[in-house]
């Protein structure tokens, strides 16, 4: 029995430990849905998505496009592979002409990962419902949950539920070849949890508890050696899923299930402050740490806190590209060796989705501005830019190879993992704009939105065109004067200082970039705060080679526009027979493509000049070719070749 198990038993974790703060890290989980109190000290709390309404912005545009995609996917097609697995579509009464068309790509009936997308979709629908209040999202979610419940009942395998037969799990346990069946299970568990938390669907919880009962009967008899063999394969965030379920039910079996997915070989080095990530599959590792973060919150295990904190610090410092993403060909590499991994297979979007999950946990333990700074970096430059604004389709990688370009999914024939995480990412932009303490409020992101903090009777309206302008405006609305410390993030990139006004009067700021400006006052309805962070150009060099660098303006990474010569159509690397064909995708970068700048004299403001009348747009003055190159925000570099990292001469 490991130390965490002993700890938990000694603490007497049972039903009835509900706390008003027990659900702080998972917005949407109400007090009534909470059976186990958070035991770790929490300093900042999340708002529920329903407390924040997104206003007009590129984020809102992405969210709306994603919502339309979610609603457009027919329920019958999403459930098809599950019903096939349960034998529900094989009787003579089913006319072939009435059979729904199977989904393609990674959801094809011949794909071992089939079924993972429905979990992401349940989460995405739940987030859209909470974010917008649009009942269409709940209605679709409810229909999917009901369909899954019918499949589970028909299978009659002790609560087992999947789009593939149970022998996939048996193969995983035996250590024989199979893709990642527990990864798929995780997505379904997580989707059902979100449906329960965000939409109040009790059936979702009952289905999930049935799945957990099956999992416990499956895994409880296994020896430590058998479990260790099973955990060698990718299992997503099964530990996180079971910790979340345990927080809802208080069932000791759910806690034991979470502990069964403690991957000693990966986590122990991190607990000891060791980076042994080289060659590890990044998106196999990151969710384990999200689960460890949840373990810390529910058990107060200090080793889990150490592992999660060290991992985050290490990855952000040593494995992260300028846009906030990480990995090459989905794998970590030697610490700091960014310049050696500027390929066409960099920045798997799922990794960033999971790093942002981890970031939110860490911020609630320690509301340090560095977590909010990273969140902004990754959200604006990677997540926002994943979605093609023309079609709403999304990319898998964000290639850092000079002259490469984004490759997009299709509406119903791709369903890569990054399509699934994209259903979530673009549906929950309101999750990290604001946090709160018992009385104080944090403003972490400068995104047009309206916060309704009902417990304190205050609303905050945030209006801005940031990052296309440097100023953000906050308007306070309250029925009576309210004492509320207001913490405004002072970004680390804001080297040109800050201008702060309250009700039109300048306020002196003593804090430095990379911290919070705190306004400790009693607010009246109609009070206004105006916050301006002048942006500046900066060089973002790779850690291992100062002569390979990206450029940023304020928080925004810039990309050089390189035209469309030789671009192919949508999702050119998708081959149903070879789901990993993109590893060998040839971008056919023109031999004469320029990605070198003469920088031996002057500074970055000499090498790049702003284009009049075009926000966040610059022109090079120091390229080796005769003509200048236009640089735009990386999140806007769609359907064209680009350069993010330049060779500096």
């Amino acid at each position: 029995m490991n130390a965490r198990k002993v700890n938990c038993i000694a603490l007497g974790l049972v039903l009835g430990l509900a706390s008003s703060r027990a659900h702080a890290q998972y917005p949407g989980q109400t007090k009534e849905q909470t059976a186990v109190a958070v035991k770790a000290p929490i300093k900042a709390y999340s708002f529920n998505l329903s407390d924040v309404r997104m206003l007009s912005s590129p984020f809102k545009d992405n969210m709306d496009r994603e919502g339309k995609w979610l609603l457009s996917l027919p329920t019958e097609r999403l459930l098809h592979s599950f019903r096939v697995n349960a034998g529900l579509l094989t009787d003579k009464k089913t006319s072939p002409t009435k059979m729904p068309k199977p989904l393609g790509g990674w959801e094809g009936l011949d794909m071992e990962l089939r079924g993972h997308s429905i979990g992401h979709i349940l989460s995405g629908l739940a987030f859209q419902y909470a974010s917008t209040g649009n009942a269409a999202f709940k209605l679709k979610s409810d229909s999917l949950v009901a369909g899954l419940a019918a499949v589970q009942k028909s299978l009659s395998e002790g609560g087992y539920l999947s789009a593939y037969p149970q022998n996939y799990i048996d193969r995983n346990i035996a250590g024989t070849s199979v893709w990642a069946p527990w990864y798929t299970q995780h997505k379904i568990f997580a989707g059902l949890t979100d449906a329960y938390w965000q939409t109040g669907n009790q059936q979702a919880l009952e289905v999930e508890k049935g799945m957990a009962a099956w999992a416990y009967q499956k895994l409880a008899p296994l020896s430590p050696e058998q479990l260790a063999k099973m955990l060698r394969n990718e299992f997503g965030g099964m530990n996180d899923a079971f910790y979340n379920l345990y927080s809802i039910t208080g069932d000791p079996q759910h806690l034991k299930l979470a502990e069964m997915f403690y991957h000693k070989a990966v986590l122990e080095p991190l607990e000891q402050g060791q980076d042994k990530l080289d060659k590890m599959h990044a998106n196999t590792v990151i969710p384990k740490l999200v689960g460890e973060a949840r373990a810390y919150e529910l058990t107060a295990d200090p080793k889990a806190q150490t592992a999660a904190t060290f991992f985050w610090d290490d990855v952000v410092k040593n494995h992260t590209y300028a846009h906030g993403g990480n990995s090459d060909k989905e794998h970590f590499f030697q610490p700091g060796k960014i310049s050696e991994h500027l390929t066409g297979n960099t920045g798997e979007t799922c990794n960033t989705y999971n790093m942002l999950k981890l970031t939110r946990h860490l911020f609630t333990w320690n509301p340090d501005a560095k977590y909010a700074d990273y969140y902004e970096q990754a959200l604006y430059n990677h997540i926002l830019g994943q979605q093609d604004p023309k079609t709403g389709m999304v990319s898998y990688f964000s290639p850092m190879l000079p002259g490469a370009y984004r490759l997009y999914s299709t509406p119903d024939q791709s369903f890569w993992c990054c399509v699934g995480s994209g259903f979530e990412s673009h549906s929950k932009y309101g999750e990290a704009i604001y946090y709160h303490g018992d009385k104080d409020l944090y403003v972490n992101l400068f995104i047009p939105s309206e916060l309704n903090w009902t417990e304190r009777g205050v609303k905050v309206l945030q209006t801005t065109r940031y990052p296309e302008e440097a100023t953000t405006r906050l308007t306070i609305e309250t029925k009576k004067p309210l004492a509320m410390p207001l913490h405004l993030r002072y970004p680390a990139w804001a080297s040109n200082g800050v201008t702060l006004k309250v009700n039109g009067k300048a306020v002196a700021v003593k804090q430095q970039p990379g911290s919070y400006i705190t306004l400790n006052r009693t607010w009246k309805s109609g009070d206004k705060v105006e916050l301006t962070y002048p942006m500046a150009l900066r060089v973002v060099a790779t850690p291992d080679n100062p002569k390979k660098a990206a450029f940023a303006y304020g928080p925004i990474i810039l990309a050089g526009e390189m035209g469309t010569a030789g671009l192919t159509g949508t999702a050119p690397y998708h081959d149903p027979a070879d789901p990993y064909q993109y590893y060998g995708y040839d971008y056919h970068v023109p031999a004469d493509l320029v990605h070198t700048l003469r920088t031996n004299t002057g500074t970055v403001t000499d090498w790049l000049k702003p284009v009049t009348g075009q926000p966040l747009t610059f022109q090079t003055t120091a390229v080796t070719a005769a003509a200048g190159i236009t640089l735009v925000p990386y999140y806007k570099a769609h359907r064209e070749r680009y350069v993010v990292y330049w060779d500096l001469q």
Side-chain angles (χ1 to χ4, degrees):
M1 184 176 290
N2 65 31
R4 186 175 302 163
K5 292 181 182 178
V6 173
N7 227 359
C8 293
I9 293 172
L11 288 169
L13 299 177
V14 294
L15 285 169
L17 296 179
S19 162
S20 62
R21 296 303 185 193
H23 60 283
Q25 286 63 247
Y26 279 84
Q29 184 181 6
T30 66
K31 180 179 178 180
E32 292 71 29
Q33 296 171 328
T34 306
V36 177
V38 168
K39 292 177 172 53
I42 301 298
K43 298 179 180 178
Y45 300 93
S46 300
F47 284 98
N48 186 22
L49 287 170
S50 61
D51 296 326
V52 180
R53 287 290 180 258
M54 302 296 294
L55 303 178
S56 180
S57 70
F59 295 101
K60 179 66 161 54
D61 293 340
N62 270 22
M63 190 175 78
D64 290 345
R65 283 187 289 264
E66 204 72 24
K68 289 179 181 178
W69 189 6
L70 283 164
L71 292 177
S72 74
L73 294 166
T75 298
E76 297 302 306
R77 295 187 69 186
L78 292 171
L79 291 169
H80 181 71
S81 58
F82 288 84
R83 289 170 171 165
V84 169
N85 185 50
L88 292 173
L89 297 180
T90 59
D91 60 22
K92 296 180 181 179
K93 296 179 182 179
T94 304
S95 168
T97 60
K98 295 183 179 180
M99 291 275 281
K101 180 182 178 182
L103 298 170
W106 288 14
E107 287 297 338
L109 292 175
D110 59 341
M111 300 299 285
E112 291 184 346
L113 210 67
R114 62 187 179 274
H116 72 112
S117 296
I118 202 167
H120 286 296
I121 288 167
L122 282 171
S123 293
L125 290 168
F127 298 152
Q128 288 275 352
Y129 175 67
S131 296
T132 66
N134 184 346
F137 294 110
K138 176 172 168 52
L139 182 65
K140 190 175 187 70
S141 174
D142 288 348
S143 67
L144 289 173
V145 170
L148 290 174
V151 168
Q152 186 182 50
K153 181 178 180 180
S154 179
L155 279 169
S156 190
E157 296 181 19
Y160 177 71
L161 172 63
S162 185
Y164 49 73
Q166 200 172 153
N167 67 48
Y168 282 28
I169 300 290
D170 296 333
R171 287 159 57 190
N172 190 174
I173 292 171
T176 56
S177 179
V178 66
W179 194 340
W182 282 114
Y183 172 95
T184 300
Q185 286 286 303
H186 166 234
K187 304 311 172 190
I188 300 171
F189 270 94
L192 291 168
T193 295
D194 288 328
Y196 174 64
W197 278 347
Q198 302 285 1
T199 76
N201 188 320
Q202 185 67 35
Q203 187 178 37
L205 178 61
E206 295 308 313
V207 171
E208 187 177 4
K209 288 195 293 186
M211 294 174 68
W214 159 80
Y216 189 79
Q217 293 301 314
K218 192 81 171 178
L219 299 182
L222 301 184
S223 68
E225 291 75 22
Q226 287 175 303
L227 285 172
K229 181 183 289 186
M230 181 186 78
L231 296 182
R232 293 175 188 170
N233 200 8
E234 183 176 11
F235 57 80
M238 279 307 312
N239 52 351
D240 186 43
F242 284 127
Y243 280 122
N244 287 333
L245 184 58
Y246 169 65
S247 77
I248 297 169
T249 67
D251 188 333
Q253 287 191 0
H254 299 158
L255 175 61
K256 291 178 182 178
L257 281 166
E259 292 165 342
M260 288 178 192
F261 284 89
Y262 173 83
H263 195 183
K264 178 178 179 180
V266 172
L267 297 175
E268 279 196 346
L270 296 170
E271 291 168 356
Q272 297 163 12
Q274 299 173 9
D275 181 339
K276 294 188 177 181
L277 300 176
D278 186 24
K279 299 181 178 60
M280 285 190 182
H281 186 255
N283 201 46
T284 295
V285 175
I286 304 171
K288 301 179 198 291
L289 278 303
V290 177
E292 283 298 283
R294 193 58 169 151
Y296 169 63
E297 290 161 2
L298 294 174
T299 71
D301 182 349
K303 289 185 178 180
Q305 179 192 29
T306 298
T309 303
F310 171 78
F311 177 81
W312 188 94
D313 287 335
D314 182 53
V315 169
V316 170
K317 178 181 178 181
N318 295 314
H319 297 275
T320 298
Y321 298 96
H323 72 326
N326 61 67
S327 79
D328 183 13
K329 288 189 176 180
E330 302 188 4
H331 288 71
F332 289 124
F333 38 77
Q334 291 183 5
K337 299 296 184 180
I338 297 290
S339 73
E340 298 177 11
H341 292 273
L342 302 177
T343 75
N345 305 300
T346 50
E348 181 188 359
T349 314
C350 281
N351 298 357
T352 303
Y353 152 85
N354 278 311
M355 281 297 294
L356 293 183
K357 278 189 174 183
L358 181 59
T359 303
R360 294 184 64 236
H361 281 283
L362 270 58
F363 182 82
T364 65
W365 311 343
N366 175 24
D368 190 315
K370 71 178 182 180
Y371 297 120
D373 281 339
Y374 169 74
Y375 201 102
E376 177 184 65
Q377 174 191 2
L379 187 72
Y380 276 87
N381 296 298
H382 194 182
I383 297 299
L384 180 63
Q386 184 204 17
Q387 189 192 99
D388 174 22
K390 183 176 180 180
T391 65
M393 297 297 99
V394 297
S395 59
Y396 194 124
F397 292 125
S398 290
M400 293 292 107
L401 175 72
Y405 49 93
R406 289 182 170 100
L407 304 166
Y408 305 108
S409 60
T410 56
D412 65 354
Q413 292 297 311
S414 302
F415 292 109
W416 316 308
C417 54
C418 296
V419 171
S421 59
F423 284 134
E424 298 185 42
S425 293
H426 303 298
S427 299
K428 58 174 185 171
Y429 284 121
E431 71 174 3
I433 302 174
Y434 310 98
Y435 290 81
H436 68 91
D438 289 334
K439 295 184 178 180
D440 48 337
L441 177 67
Y442 293 85
V443 179
N444 275 7
L445 300 175
F446 310 122
I447 296 176
S449 54
E450 184 173 27
L451 168 69
N452 184 8
W453 189 0
T454 55
E455 290 81 1
R456 298 223 65 201
V458 62
K459 292 183 179 180
V460 178
L461 175 67
Q462 182 174 180
T463 57
T464 182
R465 291 187 297 107
Y466 179 97
E468 292 193 353
E469 69 168 335
T471 299
T472 293
R473 302 159 193 87
L474 304 171
T475 302
I476 309 295
E477 180 183 327
T478 180
K479 292 182 179 179
K480 59 182 180 180
L482 180 70
M484 181 182 70
L486 181 63
H487 308 291
L488 307 169
R489 182 172 65 93
Y490 193 165
W493 54 258
S495 57
N496 283 353
V498 57
T499 300
L500 175 62
K501 296 179 181 179
V502 177
N503 295 330
K505 296 181 179 180
V507 175
V509 175
K510 298 180 180 180
Q511 291 85 354
Q512 297 298 312
S515 66
Y516 281 92
I517 302 166
T518 298
L519 296 175
N520 198 345
R521 56 180 285 146
T522 297
W523 300 93
K524 297 178 181 178
S525 197
D527 281 348
K528 298 182 184 298
V529 177
E530 186 174 285
L531 187 66
T532 302
Y533 294 118
M535 299 181 189
L537 286 166
R538 54 194 174 92
V539 179
V540 185
T542 58
D544 54 325
N545 185 352
K547 290 297 184 180
K548 284 191 180 292
F551 298 109
Y553 185 65
I556 303 303
I557 298 300
L558 302 173
E561 295 184 312
M562 294 296 170
T564 59
L567 267 65
T568 58
T570 302
Y573 55 31
H574 177 65
D575 179 354
D578 182 3
Y580 285 106
Q581 185 187 1
Y582 45 70
Y583 279 169
Y585 182 76
D586 187 349
Y587 290 89
H588 298 288
V589 178
D592 60 351
L593 185 133
V594 174
H595 53 89
T596 301
L597 297 182
R598 295 194 184 99
T599 60
N600 55 340
T601 60
T603 65
V604 64
T605 55
D606 298 308
W607 314 331
L608 305 179
K609 296 294 183 181
V611 176
T612 303
Q614 298 184 41
L616 306 177
T617 305
F618 297 84
Q619 191 84 8
T620 63
T621 62
V623 292
T624 54
I629 295 170
T630 300
L631 280 75
V632 298
Y634 179 58
Y635 69 79
K636 289 186 176 182
H638 288 283
R639 297 181 173 269
E640 64 179 343
R641 298 185 185 276
Y642 57 73
V643 173
V644 172
Y645 280 96
W646 302 80
D647 291 316
L648 308 183
Q649 284 187 348

